[in-house]
């Protein structure tokens, strides 16, 4: 998959090295523009749709995190490029697709690009077709039991739209009803993960047969009828595996 990218880096030498490596070893990446600071990068990204930003952390007049904070609804993936290991945790918290340390290792650069290509390919496939894999749809005929004060209740799995965590409890959302169960969301994740359900967030487990749309974003979000739920960036590829 072809990727349009920009490089955000204040040092000319570092920009030139990265640009040359991309041209030589990452033929599917086109570098559309370069920026030397947060303000320049923000102006470019306001008017240019890109798939990937190679982003230095420390720059004059701001950091990479300042830029990302200004773009909360971004649809591009980020690869951090920095000489400082201490930013790795912050990069993960910002859900960067990959973290490269200087001097750049070519194999690591290629790996970073391949990861972004995989994410973007899945996004494209999901936007084109929301058909569920046959092997998953065939499994949505089972039932589960949930405990009640009087005993238990039987729920057809196909009727469950999504489940949401509430500490050690779970809300189960049906089309016209909601059940509160004294079980953790992990309990239902373990029970339903092989029956067409996807964990899209630490707080949400969804029945993929009820997904009507996906919206791009840092992690994006899914629509289940009128309900919109966030998708964690780390869960995005797992969700896309359910769609062709």
């Amino acid at each position: 998959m072809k990727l349009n990218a920009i490089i955000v880096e204040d040092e000319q030498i570092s920009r030139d090295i990265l640009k040359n490596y991309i041209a030589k070893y990452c033929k599917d990446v086109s570098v559309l523009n370069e920026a030397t600071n947060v303000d320049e990068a923000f102006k470019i990204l306001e008017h240019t749709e890109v798939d990937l930003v190679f982003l230095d952390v420390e720059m004059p007049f701001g950091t990479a995190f300042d830029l990302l904070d200004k773009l909360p609804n971004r649809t591009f993936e980020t690869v951090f490029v920095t000489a400082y290991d201490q930013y790795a945790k912050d990069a993960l918290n910002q859900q960067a697709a990959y973290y490269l340390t200087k001097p750049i290792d070519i194999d690591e650069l290629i790996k970073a690009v391949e990861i972004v290509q995989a994410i973007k390919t899945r996004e494209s496939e999901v936007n084109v077709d929301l058909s569920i894999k046959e092997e998953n749809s065939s499994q949505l005929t089972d039932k589960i039991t949930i405990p009640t004060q009087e005993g238990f209740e039987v729920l057809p799995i196909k009727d469950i739209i999504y489940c949401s965590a509430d500490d050690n409890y779970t809300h189960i959302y049906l089309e016209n009803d909601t059940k509160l169960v004294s079980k953790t969301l992990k309990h239902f994740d373990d029970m339903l993960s092989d029956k067409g359900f996807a964990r899209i967030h630490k707080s949400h487990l969804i029945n993929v047969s009820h997904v009507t749309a996906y919206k791009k974003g840092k992690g994006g979000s899914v629509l289940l009828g009128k309900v919109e739920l966030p998708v964690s960036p780390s869960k995005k590829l797992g969700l896309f595996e359910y769609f062709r």
Side-chain angles (χ1 to χ4, degrees):
M1 182 180 183
K2 300 290 186 182
L3 300 175
N4 290 324
I6 71 166
I7 297 173
V8 184
E9 163 68 66
D10 63 304
E11 296 180 357
Q12 180 71 51
I13 293 176
S14 295
R15 289 200 306 275
D16 290 344
I17 290 173
L18 179 55
K19 196 162 48 171
N20 290 336
Y21 281 175
I22 291 171
K24 187 171 182 179
Y25 300 105
C26 305
K27 302 294 186 182
D28 290 332
V29 178
S30 297
V31 178
L32 302 183
N33 213 329
E34 302 172 33
T36 63
N37 57 54
V38 169
D39 288 340
E40 286 182 11
F42 182 70
K43 290 175 183 177
I44 292 171
L45 291 169
E46 270 192 310
H47 301 100
T48 308
E49 186 172 340
V50 300
D51 305 299
L52 170 59
V53 175
F54 292 97
L55 185 55
D56 189 15
V57 176
E58 290 192 345
M59 294 172 286
F61 316 115
T63 69
F65 308 110
D66 296 324
L67 175 62
L68 296 179
D69 286 342
K70 293 173 106 174
L71 298 162
N73 298 317
R74 59 189 180 272
T75 59
F76 58 81
E77 297 298 324
T78 307
V79 172
F80 278 69
V81 186
T82 179
Y84 305 100
D85 287 337
Q86 70 264 30
Y87 293 114
K89 183 178 179 181
D90 289 332
L92 292 174
N93 289 338
Q94 287 286 349
Q95 303 296 345
Y98 209 78
Y99 186 93
L100 295 173
T101 55
K102 300 175 184 177
I104 295 173
D105 180 278
I106 293 170
D107 289 336
E108 290 294 301
L109 172 62
I110 293 170
K111 183 178 179 181
V113 169
E114 288 176 345
I115 288 173
V116 174
Q117 285 178 311
I119 293 171
K120 287 299 180 181
T121 297
R122 290 300 187 188
E123 279 186 349
S124 176
E125 291 171 349
V126 168
N127 287 337
V128 171
D129 188 357
L130 284 170
S131 301
I132 300 167
K133 291 182 179 179
E134 291 183 7
E135 63 263 34
N136 291 314
S137 60
S138 66
Q139 294 172 338
L140 299 180
T141 57
D142 299 340
K143 298 177 181 180
I144 64 169
T145 60
I146 59 172
T148 65
Q149 289 185 339
E150 296 79 22
F152 65 85
E153 186 175 352
V154 179
L155 298 179
I157 291 175
K158 64 181 178 60
D159 291 346
I160 299 172
I161 300 173
Y162 68 100
C163 305
S164 290
D166 187 356
D167 290 329
N168 290 323
Y169 289 80
T170 298
H171 295 274
I172 299 177
Y173 293 87
L174 309 169
E175 186 171 350
N176 296 307
D177 198 6
T178 304
K179 308 290 184 181
L180 179 62
V181 185
S182 58
K183 298 284 186 182
T184 64
L185 188 61
K186 184 181 184 303
H187 169 83
F188 290 100
D189 191 6
D190 293 341
M191 182 187 298
L192 298 171
S193 61
D194 63 344
K195 299 184 184 298
F197 281 68
R199 185 73 172 267
I200 61 166
H201 188 277
K202 65 179 181 179
S203 299
H204 302 301
L205 175 72
I206 66 167
N207 184 339
V208 294
S209 69
H210 288 278
V211 173
T212 55
Y214 170 80
K215 291 184 178 180
K216 292 181 180 180
K218 182 168 67 171
S221 61
V222 290
L223 295 178
L224 301 103
K226 296 180 180 180
V227 176
E228 183 172 356
L229 297 175
V231 179
S232 296
S234 61
K235 302 289 187 183
K236 189 158 57 173
L237 279 179
L239 172 65
F240 292 166
E241 287 298 322
Y242 286 86
F243 300 95
R244 292 292 189 188

